[in-house]
Every structure is written in C-alpha cells, then in structure tokens.
Amino acid sequence: MRFVLGLGHRFPAIVVFGWVLAAAALSLLVTPLGAVVERSSTAFLPEDSPTLNGLRVMDSAFGSGTTQSYVFVVITDDDGLGVGDRRVYADLVRTLEEEPARVSEVQDSLGQPQLRRSMTSKDGQATYLVVGLRSAVGSPASDEDVKWVRSVVEDLDAPSGTEVYVTGDPAMISDLTTAVNDASLKITAVSLLLLLGILWLVYRRVATVLISLVTIGIALLCTRGALAWAGEHGLALSTYTDAFVVAITLGAGTDYCVFLISRFREEYGNGLDPLDAVVESVSRVGPALLASAATVILGAISLGFTDLAIFATTGPPMAICVAVTVAVSLTFTPALMRWFGPRIGPAPATRADSRWARTGRLVGRHPARILVAGVTVLVLLALALPTMQLSYDERAAQPPDTPSNLGLAAMAEHFPPNQTLPDYLLIRSDHDMANTRDLAVLNSISTAVTKVDGVDQVRSITQPAGKRLKPASIANQLGRLAKGLDKADRKLESAEPGLERLASGAGGLEDALDLVSTGAGKAQDGAEKLSDGSRRIAGGLGRAADRTGRAADGATRLRDGGAALAAGLRTAHDQVAQAVDGLRMIIEALEGDTICTADPTCRRSREGLRKIYTGQRDELLPGLAQAAAGAERLAAGDGRLATGLDQLTEGLRRAQSGSNRIADGQALLSENLGELEGGTDRLATGAAGIAPGIEELLTRTEELRGGLDDSGDYLQAVNQRADTPEAGGFYLPAAALDRPDFALARTQFLSEDGKLARIQVTGDTDPLTPAGQQRYNEIQDAAEQAMNNTRLDDSTILATGAAGLGADLAHYLTDDAALVVLAVLLLVLLILILTLRALTAPIYLLASVVLSCAAALGLTTLVFQHLIGQDIHFTVPVIVFVLLVAVGADYNILLMSRMRESGLALDRDEVARAVTATGPVITAAGLIFASTFVALLFSPVEALAQTGFAVAAGLLLDTFIVRTLVVPACAALFEDRSWWPHRRTTLAAPAALQPATTSETHA
C-alpha cells in the first residue's frame, strides 16, 4: 500500500501523464455514457415478479403469447373525430402490424363495434389504440421500441387539430431516462459552480482551487469512460447512473483533495519542506481515505445483490465511481501537490479563540450535555420518518410536460379515470370453466371484488359490460317462468267453456243415437214383414202403401238427425283440438326451462300435463273424428232410404205387376236396416264413453289451473327475494357462451380452452398510489375468499396490471431494503473495526451515522411530503441510507484517526485538539460534498431532487452535529475506553496511523 501511496510524489510526471492519457482515451474512444445507459439498462422488474408472470400468462391466453409490455397511442381532436382521424387510425394500425419484430399485437377496434365504443370517448373527441410490444419495460429494447412508435406517429399525415400521443409504462420509463440525461449537463454545471465558490472561500488561492478542479475533472472523465466501457461489456447501468456519477465523483473527489491539501498545508506550516509535507500528508491521510472509500464501495456493491434493477444497476457503478476517484486522488493529486507545493502555501496558525477551538473545549468540558443536545435534535427530526409515504408512480417522478405525461393528461381529459390503467385477476383452473356451475362461481368472485373499497367497475365473463347480465339472474328467470305459468293458466281458463260444451254435446249425442237405434230396429221389423207379405201384395197393396209412406217419413227424420249428429261431433273435435294445442304449448315451454327440470314439483306437473295431452291427442281426437265421419255416412244413407220409400209407395199405387221387384227390394231394405241398427248401437255406446272422459278432462284441467296459480304465486315471491345482495342468484347456461352476441365477451374474459378466466378491475383512485396498491391486494384476498369451498377452490389466482407494478415494487423494496441495511451496517462496522482496531468506537460511530441518516430522511419527509405535498420516491430511502452511512463513516474515520494518531491515550483534551484540528477541513469537505447533491435539486426528476436534498441534509447534519458534537462527546465520555478491548499500556498505535518519517517514505 505504501508503494501505491507513494506513486504520486515519486513519479509525478508519469502519474500525471498516465491519468491524462487515460482520461483522453476513455473520452474519445468510448461511447458516451448517456448513450450506453440507454442501451445497457435492464427491465424495471425482475423476470419472475408476480406482475410480469401474470402478464405473461394473460398474454399467452388472450394475446399473442410474446407481449411483455403495452403502450397506448392516444388520438384527440377537439372538433370531434372525423374521417381524417379514422384514416390516421387505420394507417397507424397498418404500419404497426407491418413490424412484427417489435409489435406483438395491435388491439384494433375498427372492426369490433363493442370494443370501438369502449375505446372512444363519450364526447367523441378521443380514441386510443393498445399496442403490445415484445420488449420488457425499462429494457434498452423497450426504449428503442418507444422511439420507433413515436417516429411512426410523427410520420402520420394527421389533419389539422388532431394530436397523437404515445404513453404507457414503457413510454414513461423512456421519458424518465431522457429527462435524467437531459438534466445531467445542468447538474454538472451547477455542481462545478458551487464547488468553485466553496473552494475559493476556503483556500483563497488559485493553485489550490486548480489542483482540486483538475483532479475531479480527470476523475470525472475517467469514471464516465470506465462506466461506459463496462456498460458496453455487459455491466447493467441505471437511469440514474449519469446523475449519481457526477454528484459522487465531484463530491468525493473534492473531499479527498481537501483532506490531502489541508494536511499538506498543516505539515507545511509545521516546518516541513514541500516534498516531505506531501509524503507526510499522504501517509497520514491515505489509509483513512482508503478506509473511507472502502465503506462507500462495499456499501454500493451490496446494492448489486438486490432484486430491483434500479438498485442493482445503481450500486456497482457507484462503487466503480468511488474506486476510480480515490485512485486518482491518492496518486494524481499528490503529483500536483509536489509540483505546486509552495503555491499552495501553509495553513494559518490555529488561534486559541477560534470557533473550532472553543467548540473542542466545550465538548471536552460538557460531553454529556452536548451529547444529549445533539441526539435530541436528530431524534426530533427522525420522528417524521415513520410518516413517510412512498411513491411508485413514475409519472410523478418526471416533469409533467414529458410526452408520456401529456398523453396521460389527454386520456384523463376525455376518458373516465384509470381506463388505461386497469388491474387484472386471472383465475387458472385445471378444467374447462365454461359450464353453469363454474360460471356461477366466477360471478361470485366478480361480485366479491365489486364490494372492495375503491373498486369502480368489474368486467368479467359474467358481466362483460361492467354490470350483471340481467338474463342470467335467477330472479329474472323466475319472473319469466312465473309469467309463462300465468299465461298458461289464462289459456286453460279460456278453454274451459269449450270443454263444458263438449261434455254437454257428448251427452246429447248419446240420447240421439239411442233414438236412432230404436227407430232402425223398428224399420227392420217392418221391412221383414213386407218381405214376407210380398207374395200377398195384391191383397194388401193399400196397407203396404200406407206403411211405406210412414217409413219414408221416418227415414227423412233419421237423415236429419244423422246430419245434426255429424255437425255436433265436428264441433266437439275442433274444441278438443284447440285445448290440445294449448296443452302442447305449455308442455314445450316447461320442457325448455332448465329451472323447471330442476324443480321436482314443476317436473311432476309437467309429466301430468304430458299424459293428458297424449290421451287427448292419440285417443279423444281420433275417436271424435271417426264418430263424425260415421254420422255423416249415416245421414247420407238415410237420404237414399227416404227416396226409395217414396218411389216404392208410388210404384205400389201405380202398378201391382211390380210386386216381385218390391219383394226383392224389401229384402234388401231389411238387411240394410239391420246394419243401420247395429252401427247406431255401437256409436251410442262410444258416445256414452265420451262424456265421462270429457268430464274427467274438465276436472283435471281445473286442478291444473289451481296448480299453475299456486306455482305462479310462489315464483313471483321468489322473484321478489332472489335479486338481493344476500341472495346473489345467478344462472348462465354454458350454451349462452356460443351465441354470436356473446362472442366478444367469450374471447375477452375466458381463454379458448376455458381454463383461464380474466377479470378486469378499474378503481376510482389512482392505481399507482398507496391506495391503489392496497386495493390491488384486497381484490386478490376477496377473490380467494369467494372461491373457498367451491368447485374452483383449488384454482390459482394471478394478478397483473398498473397497481401490480407498485405492489411488486413494494414487495421487492422490503426485501432489498432489509438486505442492504444489514449488509451496509455489517460492512461499515467491519471496516471501522479493522481501521480503528477497536469495538467501542466503531459501535457508537455506526449508531451516530444511522441516527443522522434517520434524521435526514425525516427532514426530507417534512419538506417534500408535508410541506410540498410530494410522496417520497421509493428509491430515495435505500440510496440515501447507503450514501449517508458510508460517507458519514468517512468523516468519522478521519476524526477518530486523528485522535488515534497519538496512540491509545485518549482524554478530553485530546478530543478537543482533534476537533480543533479537523473541524475546518471536515466542515469544508461536508459542505463541498453536500453542494454536489444540492445540484440535484435543479433536476426536473422528482426522485433525483429528493435524493439530492436528503443526502445534502444528511451530510450537513453529519458535519455540524454528528461529527462536531455527538461523536466527540461520545469519545470524551468513553476516553481511552473507546479503543476497547485494547489497553493503553499494552498496545501502541497502529502502524498505518503512526507518523511516518521521511526516510521511511522514500525507502
């Protein structure tokens, strides 16, 4: 180590030339750091994060399977979207679809009316296009894809008044990177101006100021070049790399120069020649600077083991930055000091009444009071820390006029809040959920999610438009069934008079048929007598003529009765047919209703109706038709009989010679009348059976009416109670999913194989706020509870969406913060122990810097959150902790090393002398380092401004309270026990901290 520390003053020309050559080469031959950052940054979230996993699963089921992020192209026209805007939309879709290497999908709404309505504002002045990208958010490819999409938008021939914006997570991260890079030059300029002013106020010598400025200039060029080279060869860099490189290099480099130059001036003022003064300053301060740099380097490296890319890509570059800066400072600065030593000049003699001398004596005399006072100030500031509210909103982390924020503002002006920032629940099952029972469970999940505080709208397969499907409500279905039963009841009621007339007509038909049968029998007897007496016709021709006349009259009456009977039977047939049709419609309605099938009472009633209907259709109607046909034939036969009798009478009166033919005709008449009597008897018997059947039908019909009335009343009562939040009745047949009007909902909310259901949730608060994250977690809990003890109990719930980004960041931040805090504390404590070779001092030194960090974060919370109204960016606490603990340890190491230089003897006078000697230099160093972070306040990026304020505040607190009051008070209280477990009588000071002789240095 001594050889390395001696390079500057031993070979000044070689060292200076080497660093200048390295800086020039890295600046001219290596790609600029800003460009490398854009190409080498990594995705915002780890690949296995729940949100990205959910996005991949959702994209696999509902998208292209290759989408990793989405951007939104917003088109607005204050005069209303017209033909020109639709042309721009169509051209944009066509151009994007022609680039499948970048674009995985385009959700085009032109050909889908339902989708077009939801993606067009109600005022008709805006629409948007969802574009899926194959690159992950925050990756270099994502940044390039965003730039390409914006170039496509710029090339569109948009009509006058039409504005087109590109927004979404990839665009926001890209704009954040651009904002940080654009602010880098401003931060560098402000930092240099502040440094120049502070250095001039401290030293008032041109040579001293130039040595510091040239040193940090060489360190900055070398650091940026080294990081750019490392980024080109695989080192992942952060969006904030460039800004932090400037602040840390300028601050640390100037501090290291101040420590070396101040010690040189002190030794030079004590009578050493310039060369010996350089050697003495490097040998005294060098080990402390290496230990100080090690705390920052190791603390920064610990960030490299975190899961969040924003930390993992910030820590290693910070470590490289400090390593290069301390290397330049310990070699390049001593070389310049050797050349310009006399021009630096000696330090002015310390006056006994100086401010630092008085402070040292005050601490030595009243250490307990000073300790209590200092700790009280820090604790009071730290009390605000628990109220810190973290923000994961990258929109607020950048200026409001970035292109992505302008796009979001346009969306907010024309669309409901959060329309483009929904969250998604994914229900993954091991079976097809396109069935009635699983759809009911999915509806229960949707209902449960709707009840979560902050949820504005829930869209799913059971409520694709954000509202419950009314036809799928059991209450609605019961109401429809009740109305159908009422209608059937009214039809049966209207058929009752016809059934009564049918029963009455059947009774009259039986009586008429009995009369016909009796008359036919008598006619047959008469015909037989005529046949027997035909041979005696000559003697009784007059009597035969009279009887034949009477027979003719009977036949006429028989014909008229048969015609009336046929008409009555036809009327009865028609009335029964009407009743049968009514029963058929009722049965068909009940058979098509699944609820009736599931209800035992309704099912038995339906079976009873079916039996009645079958009997009427297959027996009663054919019987009535057959009877009517027989009566019609009877009427026709009776007409012919009457005509024959008339002719017979006339023939008897006209000629006796035709008696033989009359005898033959009488024989035939006797035979026909016998047949007529038999047929009429059978018809009468059938008619006698009709009447009881119709009476039974009438009775059953009245009973059915009563049952329908009771069923209708019951279903109406159920209808009034089913459509309540407590009941939650839902019934959707699986066949409904195949209907054309359900096709869009089917593809949007249920995967093709039915094993993944998607539920879209829109909140009434910003999903990127803490309230949005809380809602995101609560909707998952509500879904889990809704699935308990159901068919989907074993299903998996995944979630993704806008709020998921913040939720995942919060989850990883908790783990990363625990890792970083533990690692940094252990590493800093280890370095303090190795440097001071003690346990007591390292412990209270570490406690002091932790308390100082807490106070700085509390003050930041007070200023930004409670006064300005900005939540604290989630990156601020972790990065501030690493920097403040590590840098705070630097100053403590320098102070305690000065106390240790005199060996293990430490008393209050020695503490006062150390405070007096180091006060000016450490205060100057603290102001310089703080000023470089104050420059970050000029950044338009919220996270950088908050980080700059917190680090600057912490450094100032550490400079003026911790290092000036708290740590010296602790040392004065513990005295030589600070070096425990070492004893003053047994050990001398560490070799690294012992004064080195000139001869040893040159050896």
Side-chain angles (χ1 to χ4, degrees):
M1 183 178 67
R2 286 188 176 183
F3 175 77
V4 174
L5 294 177
L7 287 176
H9 58 80
R10 289 181 179 179
F11 312 103
I14 295 176
V15 169
V16 170
F17 179 76
W19 280 116
V20 171
L21 182 62
L26 290 172
S27 299
L28 298 176
L29 302 180
V30 178
T31 305
L33 180 60
V36 177
V37 168
E38 294 181 0
R39 296 200 304 265
S40 62
S41 57
T42 59
F44 206 65
L45 286 174
E47 283 295 318
D48 60 348
S49 69
T51 294
L52 293 183
N53 184 41
L55 178 62
R56 284 190 292 268
V57 171
M58 185 173 69
D59 179 60
S60 177
F62 299 99
S64 64
T66 58
T67 302
Q68 296 197 58
S69 60
Y70 290 94
V71 295
F72 301 93
V73 182
V74 186
I75 302 175
T76 65
D77 189 338
D78 292 339
D79 297 328
L81 299 174
V83 176
D85 300 308
R86 288 191 288 272
R87 176 184 52 78
V88 168
Y89 187 101
D91 291 344
L92 180 61
V93 170
R94 183 177 61 256
T95 305
L96 294 174
E97 290 179 341
E98 291 175 351
E99 193 70 20
R102 297 179 184 270
V103 179
S104 57
E105 63 175 314
V106 178
Q107 294 183 12
D108 179 13
S109 64
L110 286 180
Q112 304 182 57
Q114 292 180 343
L115 193 60
R116 183 170 64 252
R117 284 193 296 270
S118 65
M119 299 176 70
T120 302
S121 62
K122 291 184 178 180
D123 59 14
Q125 297 178 358
T127 185
Y128 66 94
L129 180 68
V130 182
V131 182
L133 301 178
R134 299 180 184 274
S135 53
V137 176
S139 65
S142 176
D143 189 63
E144 292 297 323
D145 289 345
V146 170
K147 291 179 179 178
W148 175 79
V149 173
R150 284 176 171 161
S151 69
V152 170
V153 168
E154 291 175 358
D155 293 339
L156 292 173
D157 185 17
S160 177
T162 299
E163 299 291 340
V164 186
Y165 307 92
V166 179
T167 187
D169 288 340
M172 285 190 289
I173 300 302
S174 176
D175 288 345
L176 179 63
T177 301
T178 302
V180 172
N181 290 339
D182 291 344
S184 179
L185 182 61
K186 181 191 295 185
I187 293 172
T188 303
V190 172
S191 298
L192 289 174
L193 288 175
L194 290 174
L195 284 176
L196 183 61
I198 294 174
L199 287 172
W200 180 255
L201 289 175
V202 172
Y203 294 114
R204 303 294 181 100
R205 285 179 176 267
V206 175
T208 305
V209 173
L210 286 178
I211 289 175
S212 299
L213 290 179
V214 172
T215 298
I216 59 178
I218 294 296
L220 187 59
L221 291 175
C222 290
T223 297
R224 293 174 63 87
L227 288 177
W229 180 87
E232 291 281 6
H233 291 79
L235 178 67
L237 303 178
S238 166
T239 303
Y240 301 132
T241 296
D242 207 356
F244 283 142
V245 162
V246 172
I248 293 176
T249 301
L250 296 183
T254 307
D255 273 6
Y256 298 154
C257 288
V258 167
F259 292 141
L260 289 170
I261 292 173
S262 296
R263 191 57 183 258
F264 169 84
R265 296 180 70 198
E266 181 182 345
E267 299 297 337
Y268 189 41
N270 290 336
L272 293 179
D273 61 62
L275 177 59
D276 290 337
V278 170
V279 174
E280 187 69 11
S281 61
V282 171
S283 62
R284 291 287 189 182
V285 177
L289 292 184
L290 287 175
S292 301
T295 62
V296 181
I297 292 171
L298 294 179
I301 288 176
S302 68
L303 288 172
F305 295 95
T306 56
D307 290 319
L308 289 178
I310 192 67
F311 298 138
T313 58
T314 299
M318 287 171 56
I320 293 175
C321 174
V322 174
V324 172
T325 301
V326 74
V328 172
S329 300
L330 290 177
T331 55
F332 187 83
T333 303
L336 295 181
M337 288 166 58
R338 178 174 179 179
W339 286 351
F340 297 97
R343 296 184 180 181
I344 296 175
T350 303
R351 301 192 310 272
D353 60 344
S354 68
R355 179 169 62 88
W356 292 111
R358 294 196 304 272
T359 301
R361 290 195 297 269
L362 179 64
V363 172
R365 292 171 185 172
H366 309 286
R369 296 179 185 178
I370 296 298
L371 178 61
V372 171
V375 169
T376 299
V377 173
L378 297 177
V379 169
L380 289 176
L381 292 175
L383 290 176
L385 180 57
T387 67
M388 178 183 289
Q389 192 72 56
L390 297 180
S391 170
Y392 303 91
D393 187 358
E394 293 304 318
R395 298 171 301 175
Q398 56 188 286
D401 59 350
T402 59
S404 58
N405 273 343
L406 291 177
L408 290 175
M411 288 289 297
E413 181 180 355
H414 296 283
F415 290 93
N418 308 321
Q419 177 156 333
T420 59
L421 298 172
D423 298 318
Y424 294 95
L425 282 179
L426 305 173
I427 314 300
R428 183 163 57 184
S429 176
D430 58 359
H431 63 273
D432 188 352
M433 291 182 284
N435 60 78
T436 300
R437 295 178 63 186
D438 286 341
L439 290 175
V441 177
L442 292 175
N443 180 72
S444 298
I445 297 173
S446 300
T447 302
V449 171
T450 304
K451 297 177 182 178
V452 173
D453 290 340
V455 171
D456 181 55
Q457 186 184 67
V458 175
R459 300 178 62 198
S460 66
I461 187 65
T462 63
Q463 47 188 65
K467 298 180 180 179
R468 294 182 63 183
L469 290 173
K470 188 175 182 181
S473 169
I474 288 180
N476 178 267
Q477 296 182 30
L478 292 178
R480 292 174 56 194
L481 179 58
K483 292 178 182 178
L485 292 176
D486 289 340
K487 185 177 180 181
D489 176 57
R490 290 192 299 271
K491 287 186 176 180
L492 288 175
E493 182 180 6
S494 64
E496 279 187 1
L499 291 175
E500 292 174 353
R501 292 194 299 270
L502 178 60
S504 176
L509 175 64
E510 180 184 1
D511 296 338
L513 290 176
D514 287 340
L515 293 175
V516 172
S517 177
T518 302
K522 292 179 180 180
Q524 183 181 18
D525 293 339
E528 288 178 351
K529 291 178 182 180
L530 288 175
S531 178
D532 293 339
S534 61
R535 304 303 177 186
R536 298 186 297 275
I537 194 170
L541 189 59
R543 294 191 300 273
D546 294 338
R547 292 180 179 179
T548 302
R550 292 195 297 271
D553 294 338
T556 299
R557 290 193 299 272
L558 181 60
R559 179 193 61 191
D560 294 338
L565 175 62
L569 290 173
R570 286 297 180 188
T571 300
H573 177 276
D574 294 339
Q575 291 175 343
V576 173
Q578 182 180 3
V580 170
D581 285 339
L583 287 175
R584 176 181 58 78
M585 288 188 291
I586 294 173
I587 292 171
E588 288 179 352
L590 293 176
E591 286 181 340
D593 197 306
T594 310
I595 299 299
C596 185
T597 301
D599 185 7
T601 300
C602 185
R603 187 171 63 251
R604 288 195 298 270
S605 298
R606 187 178 64 192
E607 294 300 324
L609 285 176
R610 185 183 290 109
K611 291 180 180 179
I612 295 174
Y613 166 75
T614 303
Q616 290 178 345
R617 184 193 63 189
D618 298 338
E619 296 179 10
L620 179 56
L621 284 177
L624 288 175
Q626 185 177 2
E632 289 171 352
R633 288 194 301 272
L634 176 63
D638 290 342
R640 290 193 297 273
L641 175 61
T643 302
L645 289 176
D646 288 339
Q647 292 174 352
L648 176 60
T649 301
E650 183 181 358
L652 288 173
R653 290 174 178 175
R654 287 169 59 189
Q656 185 178 10
S657 60
S659 60
N660 290 330
R661 285 188 296 171
I662 293 175
D664 294 339
Q666 291 298 324
L668 179 60
L669 174 62
S670 177
E671 180 182 354
N672 288 337
L673 288 174
E675 293 178 356
L676 174 61
E677 180 182 11
T680 305
D681 287 339
R682 290 192 298 273
L683 180 59
T685 302
I690 291 175
I694 294 177
E695 292 291 344
E696 178 68 17
L697 174 61
L698 183 60
T699 302
R700 296 298 182 186
T701 301
E702 292 176 351
E703 293 177 357
L704 178 59
R705 278 195 59 212
L708 291 176
D709 286 338
D710 294 341
S711 298
D713 293 341
Y714 169 75
L715 292 176
Q716 289 288 2
V718 174
N719 176 37
Q720 295 173 1
R721 294 177 176 86
D723 200 16
T724 63
E726 293 77 14
F730 181 85
Y731 174 79
L732 181 67
L737 300 180
D738 297 326
R739 288 166 41 187
D741 58 347
F742 218 77
L744 180 61
R746 176 68 167 80
T747 58
Q748 288 290 316
F749 300 108
L750 198 63
S751 62
E752 186 176 354
D753 60 6
K755 295 183 179 181
L756 187 72
R758 174 166 62 174
I759 299 176
Q760 178 181 309
V761 183
T762 304
D764 57 9
T765 56
D766 194 332
L768 300 178
T769 61
Q773 297 169 31
Q774 181 179 355
R775 181 180 66 245
Y776 182 78
N777 294 325
E778 288 179 355
I779 63 175
Q780 296 180 66
D781 295 338
E784 287 278 6
Q785 294 176 6
M787 288 197 312
N788 288 340
N789 302 318
T790 68
R791 283 167 51 89
L792 300 181
D793 197 0
D794 295 332
S795 300
T796 303
I797 292 182
L798 302 174
T800 188
L805 175 64
D808 280 2
L809 288 174
H811 167 72
Y812 285 111
L813 178 64
T814 301
D815 294 342
D816 289 349
L819 171 65
V820 170
V821 168
L822 182 61
V824 169
L825 291 179
L826 290 177
L827 289 172
V828 171
L829 180 62
L830 179 61
I831 292 173
L832 289 172
I833 291 173
L834 293 177
T835 303
L836 301 177
R837 301 189 182 183
L839 288 178
T840 304
I843 291 175
Y844 65 70
L845 291 178
L846 186 62
S848 68
V849 295
V850 170
L851 182 57
S852 173
C853 177
L857 290 173
L859 180 59
T860 304
T861 303
L862 286 173
V863 172
F864 282 90
Q865 184 173 306
H866 297 290
L867 295 180
I868 300 178
Q870 295 179 358
D871 287 342
I872 307 303
H873 194 267
F874 74 96
T875 59
V876 172
V878 174
I879 293 178
V880 168
F881 176 82
V882 172
L883 289 175
L884 287 184
V885 171
V887 175
D890 289 358
Y891 297 159
N892 286 330
I893 287 175
L894 290 169
L895 174 62
M896 297 304 293
S897 296
R898 188 60 178 254
M899 295 181 188
R900 190 68 184 270
E901 286 183 4
S902 59
L904 296 176
L906 182 62
D907 54 24
R908 297 184 179 185
D909 292 336
E910 185 63 32
V911 171
R913 285 191 293 272
V915 170
T916 302
T918 62
V921 61
I922 295 182
T923 300
L927 290 172
I928 290 171
F929 212 149
S931 68
T932 62
F933 279 91
V934 167
L936 294 179
L937 290 171
F938 294 88
S939 170
V941 179
E942 188 176 281
L944 287 179
Q946 292 176 353
T947 301
F949 178 87
V951 174
L955 289 173
L956 294 177
L957 288 173
D958 190 76
T959 299
F960 292 104
I961 296 179
V962 175
R963 199 277 316 162
T964 304
L965 302 176
V966 174
V967 170
C970 289
L973 287 173
F974 282 97
E975 294 186 323
D976 56 5
R977 290 188 299 275
S978 295
W979 314 127
W980 182 86
H982 293 310
R983 296 180 181 274
R984 181 172 22 171
T985 58
T986 58
L987 286 176
L993 299 177
Q994 290 289 345
T997 63
T998 304
S999 59
E1000 288 176 341
T1001 306
H1002 287 282

